[in-house]
Amino acid sequence: MKTSFVPLLVLSFSLAVADVSLQAAEGDLKKAVYCHGFKEDDRSPKDVAEFFKPDETVYLSIELKGRPKSGVVAAKFMFREDLMAEAKVDVATVNKGVIFSFGEDTFVSFDMKTKQPMPVGACYRADVTLDGKPLGQFPFRVAPPKEAIPSKLLKAALAKGADEDHKPVNETHEFDGMDKVFLAGAGNLGLSSWLEATWLVNGKVDDQGTRSFTMEENKENVPFHFAFIPAGGWPAGTHEVSLQLDGQEVAHEKFTVKVGAPMAGKTKLVLDSSQLFRDDGKGEPGKEVKYFTTDDTELHARWNLKEKALAKGVQFVWVLVEVEGEKSQVLATADVEAAVSDQIDSSLTAKEGLPPGKYRIDLVQDGKVLDAKVFEVK
């Protein structure tokens, strides 16, 4: 089992743009309004929006009471719990020298434009704060394009397989521990609509099983299927799959596994030994070494287990411990994809090599450090 370090998830959204006119409150929110633009003279909202289309710019106007002399207003635009964009503005930089005037409020404006069309649904919100204190969470909705047909689930069933047309094969609600479980169905799916399947193992979501797709055209009675088996197989018990259409649940199926897979749920790692390897020139572990040199740009580490186990909830943390002129810091982290194995590999790419000094690799499971391997770069 191997893990490599990759960049953090990059969402295809541009940063929100913030602006402010006159200025604001003693900390009190007066109004939050989504709109299709701002007035040029005072940046107040115009054309109030009930929803946005997938390719439209999202405009948010925050109206605060009065003209504060200081304060930072920040907005985070969220898709469910994923950050799309954020921006902030310090009202003091604009309000400096402005004489307080009764009856005048402050409008702080934000706008966000996505690089790709936003998925349809009511899964969005803006979290707005003033000096770090919540002003509110403001939801908004993305409506289907004008040319999209209405989306609707027509049918869904659990099965042990699916044919080339995505139709279910051997429909059932009972499975063996090593069975891949299929959820097959059909629906009328409009442009920009999306389906997502989430699998729950003994009541807990297994993120490895979450899959989704978005429609790039209108299709009626289009077949589809999702399939999943957890790393190590299904444990005995009752499990579930939830199907969402545009962020709303449209199907929820339960199924049972009477005899669990032998390795299912056995996540305790019993460590045996650890090793360091120089790269073989092809991105794989080569010669075993006791330390690395400044010329090494691909560093490999391996932990051997005394027995096979399901490596779940495991993370590697590469740490700079002691280097001249540098503070101790985390260089990179990587989550290990859950799988059954008797060894766990990790690799770190340093394009120009690491400077001489002392380093450490932490092997972490469920937030607890199982082992820490110290090494040097010479």
Side-chain angles (χ1 to χ4, degrees), residues 30 36 44 89 125 143 172-173 191 241 269 328 335 356 369 378:
K30 185 172 183 179
H36 292 292
S44 62
V89 60
R125 71 177 192 273
T172 182
H173 284 78
L191 176 65
V241 58
L269 304 183
S328 178
D335 295 325
V369 178
K378 300 181 179 181

Side-chain angles (χ1 to χ4, degrees), residues 189-266:
L189 302 178
L191 176 65
S192 292
S193 280
W194 51 286
L195 277 175
E196 182 177 78
T198 303
W199 301 83
L200 294 84
V201 181
N202 284 333
K204 185 178 180 180
V205 173
D206 189 327
D207 292 331
Q208 298 296 322
T210 302
R211 296 289 185 274
S212 64
F213 68 86
T214 301
M215 296 299 295
E216 297 181 355
E217 58 181 327
N218 294 318
K219 282 193 176 183
E220 294 187 353
N221 197 24
V222 58
F224 64 85
H225 81 262
F226 296 93
F228 180 58
I229 179 172
W234 297 99
T238 300
H239 313 296
E240 305 160 66
V241 58
S242 172
L243 181 67
Q244 293 192 341
L245 174 60
D246 296 340
Q248 298 294 316
E249 188 175 71
V250 290
H252 194 112
E253 297 286 343
K254 293 185 177 182
F255 57 96
T256 59
V257 174
K258 292 184 178 180
V259 180
M263 296 302 298
K266 295 183 178 180

Side-chain angles (χ1 to χ4, degrees), residues 51-307:
F51 56 82
F52 296 96
K53 296 294 185 180
D55 58 354
E56 284 188 316
T57 299
V58 176
Y59 294 92
L60 173 62
S61 173
I62 301 296
E63 184 178 356
L64 301 169
K65 298 176 183 177
R67 295 183 176 186
K69 294 181 180 180
S70 63
V72 175
V73 181
K76 292 183 177 182
F77 289 87
M78 309 293 291
F79 174 72
R80 296 190 289 193
E81 297 306 315
D82 293 326
L83 177 66
M84 301 193 320
E86 62 182 330
K88 61 183 178 181
V89 60
D90 187 346
V91 298
T93 62
V94 184
N95 200 37
K96 187 176 181 180
V98 176
I99 299 174
F100 184 84
S101 176
F102 254 117
E104 292 192 36
D105 296 323
T106 298
F107 292 93
V108 181
S109 56
F110 298 92
D111 61 86
M112 178 193 68
K113 175 66 176 177
T114 62
K115 296 179 181 178
Q116 298 175 348
M118 293 179 289
V120 171
C123 305
Y124 301 86
R125 71 177 192 273
D127 295 343
V128 183
T129 60
L130 176 60
D131 288 336
K133 297 179 180 179
L135 282 179
Q137 293 184 333
F138 308 107
F140 65 95
R141 178 170 63 92
V142 173
K146 184 177 180 180
E147 63 271 26
I149 64 173
S151 294
K152 180 181 180 181
L153 177 69
L154 300 178
K155 56 186 176 181
L158 291 174
K160 291 193 174 184
D163 63 19
E164 59 184 11
D165 296 320
H166 301 284
K167 293 180 179 179
V169 176
N170 295 330
E171 291 187 32
T172 182
H173 284 78
E174 292 187 2
F175 296 87
D176 295 327
M178 293 306 295
D179 282 341
K180 181 176 284 189
V181 179
F182 287 74
L183 177 67
N188 296 333
L189 302 178
L191 176 65
S192 292
S193 280
W194 51 286
L195 277 175
E196 182 177 78
T198 303
W199 301 83
L200 294 84
V201 181
N202 284 333
K204 185 178 180 180
V205 173
D206 189 327
D207 292 331
Q208 298 296 322
T210 302
R211 296 289 185 274
S212 64
F213 68 86
T214 301
M215 296 299 295
E216 297 181 355
E217 58 181 327
N218 294 318
K219 282 193 176 183
E220 294 187 353
N221 197 24
V222 58
F224 64 85
H225 81 262
F226 296 93
F228 180 58
I229 179 172
W234 297 99
T238 300
H239 313 296
E240 305 160 66
V241 58
S242 172
L243 181 67
Q244 293 192 341
L245 174 60
D246 296 340
Q248 298 294 316
E249 188 175 71
V250 290
H252 194 112
E253 297 286 343
K254 293 185 177 182
F255 57 96
T256 59
V257 174
K258 292 184 178 180
V259 180
M263 296 302 298
K266 295 183 178 180
T267 60
K268 184 177 180 180
L269 304 183
V270 182
L271 305 181
D272 183 19
S273 60
S274 59
Q275 300 167 280
L276 300 175
F277 299 93
R278 186 161 287 130
D279 191 71
D280 67 353
K282 300 179 182 179
E284 298 294 333
K287 180 182 178 182
E288 183 176 358
V289 295
K290 298 297 182 182
Y291 60 89
F292 293 105
T293 71
T294 55
D295 293 328
D296 290 316
T297 57
E298 294 284 344
L299 289 65
H300 301 275
R302 172 178 297 161
W303 267 263
N304 301 299
L305 309 180
K306 291 185 178 180
E307 58 184 15

